[in-house]
Amino acid sequence: MKAFLYSGLFLGLTVVIAGCGSNTTDDPIPGPVLAVSQHLTLGNPSGATTDASQPTNYLLVKPQYALSYHRDRGTPNWVSWHLTSADLGSASRQDDFRADNTLPTGWYQVQSTSYTGSGFDRGHNCPSADRTATVADNSATFLMTNMIPQAPHNNQRTWANLENYTRTLVSTTQEVYVIMGSYGKGGTGSNGAQSTIDQGRVTVPARIWKVVVVLPIGDNDASRVTTSTRIIAIDTPNDNTVSSNWGSYRTTVDAIEVATGLDLLSAVSASVQSTVESRVDTGPTQ
Ligand code: MN
Ligand code: MN
């Protein structure tokens, strides 16, 4: 947790500096800040880096989302993305599931066919429908580094409902940050329980979680999270008995942090985190 905290603070600081790009009184800062993504504005939950010698927490930053990849699970630990009305356009679903060839040389690349016959869906973390501004944006969501083996009812009911609801929160006056991840080992799909698929190269997570942060449109977003900001956190079992009502899985960010060892929202001030992360959302679910 200490290592995570340090990295989180570091990234939080660089995000603040990078945010000055929209402030005409400040000059752009060259150097490492260029590596920081809008998708990590609220923090890098595991202090992931692009160091290939850390294969269980490897940072992949794409224009459309950022993630921490776990080579040995064959899945992301978490995926984080910023969602605004500018991301929602008319590009159609590309369905071009494919291996991510940007992983370090020599790492196994999960294939478009790796889940075939497993009884689990290729479940998006950053959803296809959150990236429809351009064909390239939509296509990027079909990289297998953005997928987990997800029980079909979890994916097509619970998750689809929360994804659809989240997009209704995005407007000309509101923007959203989403962080999704999974942990544990062993889920139950349409062919029964499995702990791994693809000859052991992909771990089936036991639990799938999501955190949604809703903000009015503005700049310096991490500093605008307050004790009254709506934050939805859910944690669900990866099985087909899951309820379609995502609201019944609401929990605290703190509980997800305890279960995963992550520090979510690390770029938000510690005092605000302590309040918002211990609260369970009671807002509408549709
Ligand atoms: Mn899905
Ligand atoms: Mn936190």
Side-chain angles (χ1 to χ4, degrees):
M1 288 299 281
K2 284 224 163 83
F4 290 174
L5 182 59
Y6 175 81
S7 301
L9 287 171
F10 175 76
L11 275 162
L13 179 60
T14 56
V15 165
V16 170
I17 293 166
C20 294
S22 57
N23 180 342
T24 53
T25 63
D26 287 83
D27 293 328
I29 310 290
V33 294
L34 295 174
V36 174
S37 160
Q38 64 168 316
H39 308 303
L40 297 174
T41 297
L42 300 188
N44 176 330
S46 58
T49 68
T50 55
D51 178 357
S53 71
Q54 303 289 328
T56 64
N57 186 25
Y58 181 75
L59 181 65
L60 280 175
V61 175
K62 301 182 186 296
Q64 296 82 12
Y65 51 87
L67 65 85
S68 162
Y69 191 70
H70 194 304
R71 178 194 64 187
D72 302 336
R73 289 173 67 93
T75 62
N77 296 303
W78 52 260
V79 181
S80 184
W81 65 99
H82 187 205
L83 178 58
T84 74
S85 58
D87 298 308
L88 304 178
S90 57
S92 62
R93 183 180 168 99
Q94 297 299 302
D95 267 328
D96 51 348
F97 291 93
R98 63 197 184 281
D100 189 337
N101 62 18
T102 69
L103 290 170
T105 305
W107 289 21
Y108 176 67
Q109 294 177 5
V110 177
Q111 302 293 301
S112 63
T113 54
S114 290
Y115 294 19
T116 303
S118 69
F120 292 92
D121 286 357
R122 293 173 293 194
H124 285 74
N125 281 251
C126 181
S128 165
D130 281 11
R131 292 290 179 259
T132 53
T134 67
V135 166
D137 283 354
N138 185 263
S139 178
T141 70
F142 288 89
L143 291 166
M144 292 303 294
T145 47
N146 183 43
M147 302 298 161
I148 52 167
Q150 189 168 11
H153 292 184
N154 187 303
N155 179 40
Q156 297 166 27
R157 299 178 184 183
T158 327
W159 231 251
N161 288 341
L162 177 54
E163 289 170 353
N164 286 332
Y165 176 66
T166 300
R167 283 186 291 273
T168 71
L169 300 174
V170 175
S171 68
T172 54
T173 59
Q174 287 195 137
E175 59 185 305
V176 170
Y177 286 88
V178 188
I179 310 134
M180 170 174 171
S182 53
Y183 64 96
K185 187 172 184 176
T188 304
S190 42
N191 296 342
Q194 302 277 358
S195 54
T196 64
I197 61 172
D198 195 17
Q199 300 178 290
R201 293 178 291 211
V202 177
T203 296
V204 177
R207 307 283 306 185
I208 308 171
W209 56 268
K210 184 171 268 187
V211 172
V212 178
V213 179
V214 187
L215 289 171
I217 294 281
D219 295 324
N220 300 311
D221 296 340
S223 67
R224 294 190 301 112
V225 178
T226 70
T227 55
S228 47
T229 297
R230 185 175 184 197
I231 297 180
I232 300 166
I234 71 163
D235 189 350
T236 65
N238 187 21
D239 66 41
N240 267 345
T241 66
V242 73
S243 166
S244 61
N245 175 17
W246 61 263
S248 62
Y249 297 100
R250 282 182 280 195
T251 183
T252 65
V253 173
D254 280 341
I256 296 170
E257 290 183 333
V258 168
T260 61
L262 300 173
D263 184 4
L264 297 159
L265 315 181
S266 59
V268 175
S269 79
S271 64
V272 171
Q273 279 186 71
S274 69
T275 300
V276 298
E277 292 186 350
S278 62
R279 195 164 61 205
V280 178
D281 176 63
T282 56
T285 60
Q286 59 185 340

